Structure formats: structure tokens, C-alpha cells
Amino acid sequence: MQSAMRNLLIISLIACFLVLPSSAQPPVGGDNGWYAVNCNVNGADVYFDDEFKGTIEDSVLYVPVYTTGAPYQTFRVEKDGYTTYYGDVTSVPGKGEVFDLYATLNPAAPPAPIGGDVGWYTVHVNVDGATVQFDNEVKGTTSQGVLSVQVYVTGTPYQTYTVTKEGYLPYTAAINQYPAAGETVDLYADLSTAPPTQQAPLSPALAGAALLIAGLVLVTGRKN
């Protein structure tokens, strides 16, 4: 009897060590739902209505929420060295359901040195997660519709900027303004959804060749 109890205790302890962390996956069942906060930076801290909920692991954090409780309004994701992401919580998961939230963190721009020769471009885009290039040099991706780009006012000025994202037509425009030291110049890009691709019709030459081949096959079949 004592041996059996000791074996049961050992099995229970092993099971405790094998339990996955709460951020790895939501448990099955229960009277609550879950928010899955997806983020591109591991180790970032997640807050719901200024209440700390945990840190991102393997690009996600699962946050439990009672379906009968007061709904959350906002969430934010932050980490040193990155710009803080702010978002709205627009839906409440039902019992046993998972609702996805997304946050993209961009490296924080270093502060301009006092008396230095650094200016800024602020690129405003109507789509989050769009890639911004200056003269074909990638500068980062937009978060909450904005990306700040540091430039040296004594350096070679950029001529154009391009904004791209899959599923949208690329946007390219000329850069006609240049920031002075400590100043910011605003640039704007409005991305339009790309039209669906259509299969091009056969050229007359290809269509004629296809008909000729079909005719030869038909004639050969009749001779046989």
C-alpha cells in the first residue's frame, strides 16, 4: 500500500513539471474565453486596461477572460528599445473561444542629440504593417499607420519614397521637403487594394496552332 501511494506521488510530481506554461496554449474547456496576443518581439510585456497580463513567448501570449466579467477596452504591448503598441479590444470571446489580437513593435528611434544634425520624416500610411523604402532602402514597417525615419541633414538627400504591402498596389512619390536639424517632415501614402489577377487570353497564333493540332488528330483518327 505504501509503495503504491509513493508511486502515485511520484507520478503526480512528474505531471506537474510537464505542464506547459500558461502563455503556451489555452487550456481545453473552462468557463472563460481567451485573447491570443500575437507579437513579433518575444519578451514584450502585455497590458489590458493598464493591468499587466504577462510577456510574449514564442510570439504569443494567451490571456484568460471571463465571459460574464467587465470587458476590456484597450491593450498595449511594450518592450525597452521598441515603440509601444496601443490597440483597442473590439470583441469579447465566448466560452472556450479564442480571439486574436495583433501588435507589431518597431525599434524605437534614438533621441536626436542636442545641437546635432538629425531630422525626421514621419510617414503616414492607411495600412498597418506596410514596408517603407527611401530610394529602395528599407526603413521599417508602419505601426498604427505611422513610421518615423531618422535622417542626417548634412547627408545626401533622399529623392523618393515607396510604400508596399502584399495585396495592395505599391505607392511611390517624390521627396520634395527636407527636415532641418530637430525638425520633422510629414509624408503620406494611401495604398489601394490590388485588383485580382486575370488569366491572359491565348494569342491568335497560339489559338490557331491549337486548332490545327486538333484537326490533325481528328483526321488521323478517321483514317485509322
Side-chain angles (χ1 to χ4, degrees):
M1 182 66 178
Q2 291 181 351
S3 177
M5 290 295 294
R6 183 170 58 254
N7 291 336
L8 180 60
L9 178 61
I10 293 174
I11 293 174
S12 300
L13 290 175
I14 294 175
C16 290
F17 284 109
L18 292 178
V19 172
L20 292 175
S22 60
S23 61
Q25 62 179 12
V28 178
D31 293 330
N32 52 301
W34 298 83
Y35 287 109
V37 184
N38 301 273
C39 181
N40 62 317
V41 177
N42 288 325
D45 294 330
V46 177
Y47 295 83
F48 276 59
D49 291 345
D50 295 325
E51 180 181 340
F52 176 71
K53 292 299 182 180
T55 58
I56 299 293
E57 296 180 12
D58 295 327
S59 302
V60 69
L61 172 69
Y62 288 96
V63 178
V65 56
Y66 290 101
T67 57
T68 58
Y72 291 108
Q73 303 297 320
T74 62
F75 76 102
R76 78 176 188 270
V77 183
E78 62 185 27
K79 186 178 181 180
D80 289 342
Y82 294 84
T83 56
T84 300
Y85 181 92
Y86 298 90
D88 295 324
V89 180
T90 58
S91 180
V92 178
K95 179 181 178 180
E97 294 181 343
V98 177
F99 184 79
D100 287 293
L101 299 171
Y102 297 90
T104 299
L105 300 188
N106 291 311
I114 298 175
D117 54 357
V118 174
W120 301 86
Y121 284 107
T122 299
V123 185
H124 303 265
V125 186
N126 62 319
V127 177
D128 279 340
T131 301
V132 178
Q133 302 178 62
F134 280 25
D135 290 347
N136 297 320
E137 180 182 335
V138 176
K139 294 298 183 181
T141 58
T142 57
S143 176
Q144 292 189 305
V146 174
L147 175 68
S148 294
V149 179
Q150 175 186 288
V151 295
Y152 290 97
V153 298
T154 56
T156 302
Y158 291 105
Q159 302 299 316
T160 62
Y161 68 101
T162 301
V163 182
T164 58
K165 186 177 182 179
E166 185 176 356
Y168 294 84
L169 296 174
Y171 180 95
T172 300
I175 298 177
N176 299 318
Q177 291 181 280
Y178 309 100
E183 292 184 348
T184 298
V185 170
D186 292 298
L187 301 174
Y188 297 88
D190 190 6
L191 298 187
S192 299
T193 304
T197 57
Q198 296 182 351
Q199 186 175 2
L202 290 175
S203 66
L206 291 176
L211 290 175
L212 178 59
I213 294 172
L216 292 174
V217 171
L218 181 62
V219 170
T220 301
R222 287 181 176 179
K223 288 183 178 181
N224 294 335

